[in-house]
Amino acid sequence: MIASRLAAPEPGWTTRADVVVVGSGIAGLTAALRLYGQVGRILVVTKDVLDAGSTQWAQGGIAAALGPGDTPAQHERDTLVAGAGACDREAVRVLVHEGPEAVRELISWGAVFDQQDGVLSLTREGGHHRDRIAHAGGDATGAEIQRALIAAVDRAPEIEVIQHALAVDLVPAADGGVAGVTLHVLGEGQVDGVGRVLCRAVVLASGGLGQVFSQTTNPAVATGDGMALALRAGATLRDLEFVQFHPTVMWLGEQSQGQQPLISEAVRGEGAVLVDGEGRRIMEGVHPLEDLAPRDVVAKAITRRMHETGMPHVWLDARHLGPAFWERRFPTILATARSHGVDPVTELVPVAPAQHYASGGVATDLWGRADVAGLYATGEVACSGVHGANRLASNSLLEGLVFSRRIAEVLPGELRPWSEPVADRRAAGLVPGAVRRRLQEVMTDRVGVLRSEKGLDSALADLDVLAEEVGHEPGPDAWEATNLVTVSRALAAAASLREETRGSHWRDDHPDRDDAAWAGHVDLVLAHGVPSATFHPAPATDGGAA
Ligand code: SIN
């Protein structure tokens, strides 16, 4: 049984804000900056410090049709093909048409992108047929965007920020909508411990769920808190089975756990190639775009080769780039690889797929609205429909920008009246922090890159056993572990329901894409303590397979 409320001490303090933004990456800070001046008090809460989320780690860049000869229509086409028939066409149109303007606004807020001869320098990544990825600091795009957004928030003193604040649960109103949010703050001032913010709207921008797997490119904060909180509040999650595994994550050994170093796809965009232990090219003949095929295609080809050769990794060969190019274009990756004892200038880099991105999340409409009144979601926590079954490289930062701007367009005009919170009668429970490791093993082994009915059934049974270990003391470890169990259980239920292979969802017992039976979405709601998955047909949205 999944807890429908996290057990927590009674709130020791109460404050009010018109809008609470949960999360401080590109999606959260863009929402706050765009809402600024349009609503009363805006409170941004973030689980760690402002720059601890996934945005900071984004390397490759942000995709938008900004280059000569490129158009939103071409970007749309590449996004739909990568999404393997599961994108929402309207959402993709919004993304690609509003994207260029959103990136220009980001630049006007102070983000400095790399230029060549006075024009934006654009590169290419997997699945793109044009150079359309704007980047900063070579391979430090996310860090630059995060820096610029924090500086912009600093210049907007009416945006208040509470750091080290974990959003525990939504506070329900009598109509089932949002009356507030409970927080646990590790603070030193007036707000400390568990308290509540009464509010008229909550914008969830809390990022992904990478920590449900043993190896991920996501930082430690990515424990699926926002998705779990939304599910408990009655919101629908969508397409959770579409988890993207990045093909080239540096392999640090069998025992390495948690956040692993990403080797950006942009390195392949500059000509690096994947080879096996005998030096044979992996992507040759597999796809017309070879090493720049969409991510799911490359991750699958690598996994197959690893199975054939019995090796736990393959190799990335980028030696031809030379020292000067490496230092200028990929300084962060170069330094990280060297810190792990591999010099990509002279050596092959061991790489293997690892969890990278949740394409699904809290189901939203084209304006970021979830199906709980007063709840909005944007960025990785959300499923706006733009990514389908496989996110196109560098579309994630763009999604956060575009849909946060959209939320800020509608939210001020539809702010709910202040609601009285009602007594929360949902069943509370918590599992111990110690389940985390066991859960990650189950998810990695049986709900990871390659899935089957047998593996998913046994994973669901094991996750149910972990979910029964309730009764533990409230605290950040138990709250995060309970969120991890909740989203893992939901993800495994969705993966089990979808009996086909599509994009990043790979079933070895159903190896083909099946548009006749499975074009559409898997929605999840919490019903009597169990995430219940239902399939909703929708027309497939591309002209063919990737
Ligand atoms: C990368 O740089 O390869 C990652 C970019 C992304 O996930 O979009």
Side-chain angles (χ1 to χ4, degrees), residues 59-60 125 246 262-266 295 356 391 393-396:
Q59 294 177 350
E125 290 183 280
H246 196 290
L262 176 68
I263 310 289
S264 174
E265 207 156 85
R295 243 170 228 182
H356 183 57
R391 176 176 64 85
S394 288
N395 266 356
S396 48

Side-chain angles (χ1 to χ4, degrees), residues 1-3 431 435 462-470 485 489:
M1 175 107 163
I2 299 287
V431 302
V435 305
D462 286 354
L463 292 169
D464 283 344
V465 171
L466 296 181
E468 288 308 321
E469 292 190 20
V470 282
V485 170
R489 184 63 181 71

